[in-house]
């Protein structure tokens, strides 16, 4: 951006300069602009003319010495000529030193530039000292070259036009400590070949370092950047220190390259962007405070990535980020969402996160990983991991290195610290361990090797609706059991669904009985392998329920058989149901026996035979009369006792030995088949609930 000037550009093509039309040896090739009223620049002006020119200067005078070579005595003489008696410091108006060459140290300390100061393409061969200098107008240092140290400590840039150092080259250390930039500061494409210090500097307006190169260490420690801070495509070849820095406006580090360590422990009050940034050294964000969203999408961390004690009040994205070495993300607190979708972890990783939501869709974990979480709802769909990975809920707040707990005031409105898993779809669960997490809303269909999933601690699932519901004219009551969220969604979508089933959330997709049956089967095996038979029983019930309702993979005959199995004993898992049917069967048997099975009277034995004439051996036949059906009162205490005796014996496959009518015999036979089966189902159900 060219600096404003009431005059034409100081050194336009064709402008008369010291070397034009002259022959003295020391003036050949000099680009110094003529002193007004003379034909030479200040450096090559005759001594008497120079003294006369300097005597005519007053504090606040405009000067233009573009292209002029300055020695230290010549610059001192110029500044002494404009020294303000009231303050004791030099004071200049418009000051143009474009393309000037400062052969030795250039001391502009405590100088006040009343309007603008132009040093475009200037060359500082010695030290450039601008300590405590005040720039009330714009300051332009574009393409300037600082061959030695450059010191701007405590300088103040007051103008909204800002300070311009675009394409400037600092070959030695550049000191901007405690500088105040009240307008914008532009360091586009600047090159800092040695140390650059901006510690405690204050940037009131926008600051731009786009495409700048820091060959040495750079420090922004305790700096305050109130406007937009742009560090896009900046190259940091040595350590970059932003500890205790405060970014009040947007901070952009997109495509920045940190070849040394990068330290960020300050406060970021607006959005922060590290998209596609490359951290080749260690990246330390410990204790950093981010008030709004933070983006690390496609960033690369080749060294250690440490976010211990960092806090995020907005969302933080690590989508497509690559962590080449060990990473320790936490303990960090995020009141919004932490997104690791598409990220790649090539080394061991430990995540200690307190957050509302954690998204790990298609995340690749190529080494061991441990995710210790609080409050978070985790989406793990299609994640890939080749080594053991643990997702565990942390019961107590995470601890800081000093022993103090992590502050969690932002979660005071949360009902509990429960960690909820939202999806495991597309995951190979062979190496997955879940500890103390809530699986009531988890989507399991499409999970591979689900039978090898390890569940530790207390992992809870959703349950069927409680209470009795009325479906038109008939009551409906669902047996309490562990149930998958996807069965909830399927049942809620049925035309005759009762209240209490949870409808599917957006994006959950559709899974029917054919897809859910193998999921229940795999989880049943996982519980059985974990020696939790009672827990496995619920998933066996779910598997059988899905088979019973599956109209695609289950034949009509099989569905009928399963329906009967469910009706009689809840698939051999509901002892109360089997015992209820047993009691009902026994009652029916007793009633039938009293009405039709027990004879009117017990048959009397009769002996019949023939006595041969003349004596001899007599043969008798002993027989009973056929039991007769009752004709009188059939429901007496005596008949009840006999019927009960027959029924109880039938339950245990025994014959009562009672005389029965023909109808009673068939009733007993039917009883001896059905009632022991019902008793066996009840015993089986009890065993499945207590087996270990």
């Amino acid at each position: 951006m060219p600096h404003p000037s009431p005059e034409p550009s100081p050194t336009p093509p064709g402008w008369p300069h010291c070397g034009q039309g002259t022959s003295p040896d020391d003036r050949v090739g000099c680009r110094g602009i003529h002193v007004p009223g003379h034909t030479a620049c200040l450096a090559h002006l005759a001594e008497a003319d120079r003294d006369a020119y300097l005597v005519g200067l007053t504090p606040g005078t405009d000067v233009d010495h573009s292209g002029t070579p300055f020695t230290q005595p010549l610059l001192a003489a110029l500044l002494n000529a404009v020294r303000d008696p009231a303050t004791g410091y030099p004071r200049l108006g418009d000051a143009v030193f474009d393309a000037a060459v400062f052969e030795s140290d250039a001391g502009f300390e405590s100088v006040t530039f009343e309007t603008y100061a132009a040093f475009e393409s200037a060359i500082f061969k010695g030290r450039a000292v601008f300590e405590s200098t005040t720039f009330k107008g714009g300051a332009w240092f574009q393409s300037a070259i600082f061959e030695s140290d450059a010191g701007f400590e405590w300088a103040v840039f007051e103008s909204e036009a800002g300070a311009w150092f675009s394409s400037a080259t600092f070959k030695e250390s550049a000191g901007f400590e405690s500088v105040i930039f009240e307008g914008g500061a532009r360091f586009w494409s600047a090159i800092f070949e040695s140390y650059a210090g901006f510690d405690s500097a204050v940037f009131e307006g926008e600051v731009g370092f786009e495409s700048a190169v820091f060959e040495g260490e750079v420090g922004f420690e305790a700096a305050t950047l109130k406007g937009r801070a742009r560090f896009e495509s900046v190259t940091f070849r040595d350590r970059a220190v932003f500890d205790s820095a405060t970014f009040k406006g947007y901070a952009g580090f997109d495509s920045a390259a940190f070849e040394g360590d990068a330290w960020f422990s300050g406060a970021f009050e607006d959005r922060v962007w590290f998209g596609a940034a490359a951290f080749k050294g260690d990246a330390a964000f410990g204790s950093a405070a981010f008030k709004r969203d933070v983006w690390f999408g496609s960033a690369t961390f080749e060294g250690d990535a440490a976010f211990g004690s960092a806090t995020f009040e907005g969302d933080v994205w690590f989508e497509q980020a690559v962590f080449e070495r060990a990473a320790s993300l936490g303990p960090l607190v995020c009141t919004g969402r932490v997104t690791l979708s598409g990220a790649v972890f090539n080394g061991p990783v430990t995540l200690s996160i307190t957050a509302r939501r954690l998204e790990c869709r298609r995340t690749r974990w190529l080494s061991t990983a441990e995710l210790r979480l609080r409050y978070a709802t985790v989406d793990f769909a299609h994640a890939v991991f080749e080594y053991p990975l643990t997702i565990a809920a942390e019961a107590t707040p995470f601890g800081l290195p000093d022993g103090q707990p992590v502050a969690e005031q932002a979660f005071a409105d949360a009902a509990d610290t429960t960690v909820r898993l939202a999806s495991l779809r597309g995951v190979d669960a062979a190496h997955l361990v879940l500890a103390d997490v809530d699986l009531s809303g988890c989507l399991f269909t499409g999970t591979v090797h689900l039978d090898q999933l390890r569940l530790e601690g207390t992992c809870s699932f959703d349950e069927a609706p409680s209470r009795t519901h009325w479906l038109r004219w008939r009551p409906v009551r669902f047996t309490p059991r562990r149930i998958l969220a996807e069965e909830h969604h399927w049942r809620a979508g049925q035309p005759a669904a009762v209240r209490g089933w949870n409808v599917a959330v957006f994006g959950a997709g559709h899974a029917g009985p054919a897809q859910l049956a193998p999921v229940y089967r795999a989880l049943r095996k996982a519980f059985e392998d974990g020696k939790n038979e009672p827990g496995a029983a619920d998933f066996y019930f779910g598997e059988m329920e899905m088979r019973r309702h599956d109209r695609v993979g289950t034949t009509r005959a099989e569905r009928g058989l399963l329906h009967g199995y469910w009706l009689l004993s809840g698939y051999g898992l509901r002892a109360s149901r089997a015992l209820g049917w047993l009691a009902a069967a026994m009652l029916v048997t007793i009633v039938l026996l009293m009405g039709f099975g027990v004879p009117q009277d017990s048959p009397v034995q009769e002996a019949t035979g023939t006595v041969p004439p003349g004596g001899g051996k007599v043969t008798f036949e002993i027989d009973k009369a056929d039991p007769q059906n009752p004709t009188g009162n059939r429901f007496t205490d005596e008949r009840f006792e006999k019927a009960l005796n027959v029924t109880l014996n039938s339950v245990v496959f025994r014959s009562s030995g009672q005389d029965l009518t023909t109808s009673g015999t068939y009733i007993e036979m039917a009883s001896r088949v059905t009632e022991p089966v019902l008793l066996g189902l009840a015993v089986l159900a009890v065993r499945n609930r207590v087996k270990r």
Side-chain angles (χ1 to χ4, degrees), residues 2 4 89 130 141 167 200 225 256-257 264 289 393 438 484 534 590 594 664 692:
Y89 299 117
F130 289 85
F141 289 85
S167 301
S200 301
L225 300 93
F264 291 88
D438 183 355
L484 297 183
I590 291 173
M594 292 176 66
R692 288 292 179 185

Side-chain angles (χ1 to χ4, degrees), residues 168-516:
T169 301
F170 299 84
K171 295 189 175 182
E172 296 293 337
S173 62
F176 290 86
E177 290 87 348
S178 301
V179 171
I180 298 176
F181 297 89
E182 295 187 4
R186 305 292 187 272
F187 290 85
W188 302 332
S189 302
I191 299 176
F192 298 83
E193 297 184 3
S194 186
Y195 172 78
F198 293 85
D199 297 344
S200 301
V202 177
F203 298 86
E204 299 282 350
E206 180 174 331
V207 55
F209 284 87
E210 295 95 321
S211 301
V213 177
F214 293 90
E215 299 284 352
E217 181 178 334
V218 56
F220 282 84
E221 193 166 1
T224 301
L225 300 93
K226 297 183 178 181
R228 294 171 64 88
R230 309 191 68 95
F231 290 84
E232 290 89 346
S233 301
V234 173
T235 300
F236 300 89
R237 301 199 186 279
D238 205 331
R239 185 170 56 179
V241 182
F242 289 84
D243 285 348
S244 301
T246 300
F247 293 81
K248 293 183 177 293
Y250 165 84
F253 290 85
D254 293 43
S255 301
F258 297 87
E259 298 183 6
D261 295 342
W263 296 352
F264 291 88
S265 66
F268 299 83
E269 299 183 6
D270 205 334
R271 294 176 299 121
V272 184
W273 242 245
F274 283 92
F279 297 88
K280 295 186 177 181
D282 294 342
F285 288 84
S287 301
F290 299 90
K291 301 289 186 182
R292 296 187 61 185
D293 297 344
V294 186
W295 176 262
F296 287 93
S298 301
T300 302
F301 298 86
E302 296 186 13
D304 292 339
F307 287 80
S309 305
T311 57
F312 300 85
E313 295 187 18
D315 297 337
V316 54
W317 285 274
F318 289 92
E319 285 187 308
Q320 308 297 326
V322 178
F323 297 83
E324 296 289 353
R325 291 175 54 187
S328 177
L329 302 184
L332 63 83
V333 177
C334 178
T335 58
R337 173 176 53 187
V338 178
T339 301
L340 295 171
S341 298
V344 178
F345 293 90
N346 289 314
V349 59
T350 300
L351 274 65
S352 302
I353 298 177
T354 300
R356 303 281 184 184
R357 186 172 180 85
L358 174 63
E359 294 187 359
C360 299
R361 293 192 296 269
R362 294 182 174 82
T363 305
R364 294 181 60 86
W365 316 81
L366 303 182
S367 185
T368 56
E370 182 179 14
L371 284 66
R372 307 202 67 84
L373 310 171
R374 287 173 59 79
Y375 297 98
T377 297
V378 186
D379 187 346
F380 223 67
H382 304 286
V384 178
F385 42 93
E386 302 175 3
Y387 293 88
L389 185 146
T390 301
I391 302 177
E394 191 74 10
T396 58
F398 297 110
L400 298 175
D402 60 2
Q404 296 297 316
V406 170
E408 297 181 345
Q409 290 86 347
F411 294 85
D413 60 338
D416 50 47
T417 64
T418 302
V419 175
R420 297 171 174 84
L421 204 59
S423 178
L424 284 177
R425 285 183 171 175
V427 170
D428 186 341
H431 301 288
L432 181 60
V433 179
L434 304 179
D436 301 314
V437 299
D438 183 355
L439 299 171
S440 60
C442 186
L443 305 178
F444 284 99
T445 52
T447 306
V448 181
H449 294 143
L450 190 56
D451 58 321
Q452 299 180 38
L453 173 68
R454 288 181 54 191
L455 300 174
E456 304 289 345
T458 304
C459 292
S460 59
F461 290 82
D462 209 341
E463 295 184 354
S466 59
R467 305 188 307 275
T468 300
H469 304 267
W470 287 90
L471 187 60
R472 296 194 181 98
W473 53 269
R474 59 187 178 90
V476 177
R477 183 176 180 84
F478 295 95
T479 305
R481 61 181 173 94
R482 294 180 179 91
I483 193 169
L484 297 183
E486 288 144 311
E487 183 179 345
H488 262 275
H489 303 162
W490 171 73
R491 289 186 181 273
Q494 298 305 299
V498 301
R499 297 178 60 185
W501 295 108
N502 301 326
V503 298
V505 296
F506 177 77
H510 172 75
Q515 293 78 36
L516 292 176

